Amino acid sequence: MTAVPMGSLTLVATPIGNLGDISPRAVDALRAADGILCEDTRHTAQLMAHLGLTVPLASLHAHNEQQRTASVGARCLQGARLVLVSDAGTPCLSDPGAELVDAAHTAGVVVRSVPGPFAVAPALAASGLCPVPFAFWGFVAKKAAQRRRDLGRQLTAAPVGPMTHAYFVPG
């Protein structure tokens, strides 16, 4: 019996605003990929052009993640090395990918992560606020009533003692 090649899913954090912020490890992972899953292929195509890389792109965003998850897992189990990126920052943190990663783990796919830009860390460091401990809550809700409800729940669930709360505000 021959062994079936095991592929992988690698999460790669991408630059937030400045393409020069991409790490050499991230470039290596993108270069070695058989395919790249991304929120917006047009956006990722700009990054790939900047890096001089040509790797097939496929969309994976909030509206199609559930439908694509099974086929992505199957490709990895057949030996494909796939990379997941978001438009800016780290996949799964206020961006699509968490459902895919969970399904990949369940299917036995190797999941790796290449660290990179995380806007919250440098913002906290420069803020003058106490950065430890902190909670990152993602994007605040756009609607005021939902935002009040979320903030009330999140701020009352804090552990004993002071804590800095970090949010993304939609632009």
Side-chain angles (χ1 to χ4, degrees), residues 53-67:
L53 301 177
T54 54
V55 177
L57 304 177
S59 66
L60 187 130
H61 46 71
H63 304 293
N64 73 0
E65 182 174 4
Q66 187 173 19
Q67 294 83 8

Side-chain angles (χ1 to χ4, degrees), residues 8 39 51 64 67 129 133 135 138 153:
S8 61
E39 279 184 276
L51 299 173
N64 73 0
Q67 294 83 8
L129 299 171
R153 186 179 70 250

Side-chain angles (χ1 to χ4, degrees), residues 7-31:
S8 61
L9 175 65
T10 303
L11 311 180
V12 173
T14 57
I16 301 170
N18 186 333
L19 296 180
D21 289 341
I22 194 157
S23 74
R25 282 185 58 210
V27 175
D28 289 345
L30 293 169
R31 183 181 293 115

Side-chain angles (χ1 to χ4, degrees), residues 52-153:
L53 301 177
T54 54
V55 177
L57 304 177
S59 66
L60 187 130
H61 46 71
H63 304 293
N64 73 0
E65 182 174 4
Q66 187 173 19
Q67 294 83 8
R68 296 220 183 223
T69 293
S71 64
V72 169
R75 284 184 66 195
C76 291
L77 290 172
Q78 293 169 355
R81 295 165 304 178
L82 301 179
V83 166
L84 173 64
V85 299
S86 57
D87 286 348
T90 305
C92 305
L93 298 183
S94 292
D95 288 316
E99 187 175 334
L100 174 64
V101 170
D102 182 52
H105 281 294
T106 300
V109 172
V110 173
V111 179
R112 298 181 177 100
S113 181
V114 177
F118 178 52
V120 174
L124 282 172
S127 71
L129 299 171
C130 179
V132 179
F134 80 91
F136 170 62
W137 297 100
F139 283 95
V140 296
K142 290 182 182 181
K143 295 185 177 180
Q146 180 67 42
R147 188 170 49 247
R148 277 192 298 277
R149 192 168 36 255
D150 291 349
L151 292 172
R153 186 179 70 250

